[in-house]
């Protein structure tokens, strides 16, 4: 069980709309994961926690992983993060503690490299269909980021809490 400082920048992008755009991602694809994350009712003064089910791969050789994660805000783009793997049984038990005013966040994550940088493109499903967020974890928030030209960046949302997964899980409209 480790705690680390997570530094990332986030961008809303236009989802890839053509096979050509997707092929740019697939050329340097590291992995694909289908993710469902559920937010849990906080205990005492603990920061909000989430559990995540990740299915890695597309067909046949898939693997499933379950994680518990807690993030605590430090500053814009920086969080203290505690994350560790849990069993399927623990995941199913924790589902009973889901926050009732939130819905699961479902997305497909494409992890790919572009110019020696590792990006995560989350393409959302369900009530967030049409939303795509590009993330990059950094050693420093001052690190120069070269965004892939095959994805059209609509805006940076690193400091916009409205685009946090916790907020996106709200049952009501996310506008």
């Amino acid at each position: 069980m480790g705690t680390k400082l997570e530094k990332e920048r986030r961008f809303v992008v236009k989802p890839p709309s053509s096979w050509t755009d997707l092929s740019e991602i697939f050329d340097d694809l590291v992995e694909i994961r289908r993710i469902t994350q559920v937010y849990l009712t906080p205990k005492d003064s603990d920061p909000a926690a989430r559990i995540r089910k990740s299915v890695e791969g597309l067909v046949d050789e898939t693997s499933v992983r379950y994680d518990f994660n807690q993030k605590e805000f430090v500053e814009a783009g920086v969080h203290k993060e505690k994350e560790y793997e849990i069993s399927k049984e623990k995941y199913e038990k924790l589902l009973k503690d889901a926050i009732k005013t939130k819905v699961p966040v479902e997305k497909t994550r494409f992890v790919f490299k572009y110019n020696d940088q590792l990006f995560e493109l989350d393409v959302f499903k369900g009530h967030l269909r049409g939303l795509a967020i590009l993330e990059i974890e950094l050693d420093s928030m001052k690190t120069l980021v070269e965004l892939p030209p095959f994805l059209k960046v609509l805006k940076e949302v690193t400091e916009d809490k409205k685009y946090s997964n916790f907020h996106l899980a709200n049952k009501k409209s996310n506008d």
Side-chain angles (χ1 to χ4, degrees):
M1 172 177 11
T3 301
K4 68 173 187 165
L5 212 53
E6 177 189 62
K7 301 172 189 147
E8 68 181 10
R9 289 182 61 193
R10 304 177 82 222
F11 305 86
V12 172
V13 297
K14 185 174 186 234
S17 57
S18 72
W19 286 106
T20 304
D21 291 344
L22 278 175
S23 71
E24 292 284 343
I25 292 171
F26 289 154
D27 283 346
D28 292 304
L29 191 65
V30 174
E31 66 186 35
I32 295 175
R33 282 183 262 157
R34 288 165 285 159
I35 298 171
T36 301
Q37 54 193 47
V38 176
Y39 286 89
L40 306 176
T41 303
K43 306 278 188 236
D44 304 318
S45 62
D46 286 349
R50 71 177 179 216
I51 51 175
R52 174 183 280 177
K53 175 183 177 183
S54 300
V55 179
E56 195 168 315
L58 294 176
V59 292
D60 295 333
E61 295 183 28
T62 60
S63 63
V64 181
R65 179 183 165 114
Y66 301 91
D67 290 288
F68 176 90
N69 177 289
Q70 261 180 322
K71 285 186 181 186
E72 191 173 339
F73 180 81
V74 175
E75 62 183 76
V78 181
H79 294 88
K80 189 167 27 170
E81 181 178 50
K82 178 170 69 171
E83 184 170 36
Y84 54 91
E85 190 170 0
I86 59 175
S87 67
K88 179 180 181 182
E89 294 74 27
K90 177 80 170 171
Y91 173 84
E92 289 172 351
K93 183 179 177 191
L94 287 171
L95 281 174
K96 295 176 179 102
D97 294 331
I99 298 174
K100 305 294 183 239
T101 58
K102 297 202 175 280
V103 296
V105 173
E106 298 177 288
K107 56 191 173 183
T108 300
R109 173 169 286 170
F110 299 90
V111 181
F112 66 96
K113 289 185 178 180
Y114 174 74
N115 277 1
D116 295 322
Q117 301 170 107
L118 189 64
F119 288 93
E120 296 177 344
L121 174 63
D122 289 343
V123 179
F124 291 83
K125 301 189 261 186
H127 74 290
L128 297 168
R129 184 181 176 98
L131 177 64
I133 295 180
L134 181 69
E135 299 180 356
I136 183 168
E137 285 196 28
L138 306 165
D139 293 327
S140 162
M141 291 304 287
K142 295 180 182 179
T143 301
L144 182 63
V145 176
E146 188 175 341
L147 297 169
F150 49 85
L151 291 173
K152 181 180 180 195
V153 174
L154 303 175
K155 62 181 169 177
E156 182 167 359
V157 294
T158 301
E159 297 183 29
D160 191 341
K161 290 183 187 220
K162 183 170 86 170
Y163 288 95
S164 72
N165 284 304
F166 184 77
H167 182 81
L168 293 173
N170 288 340
K171 279 188 178 180
K172 296 185 179 181
S173 169
N174 291 311
D175 25 40

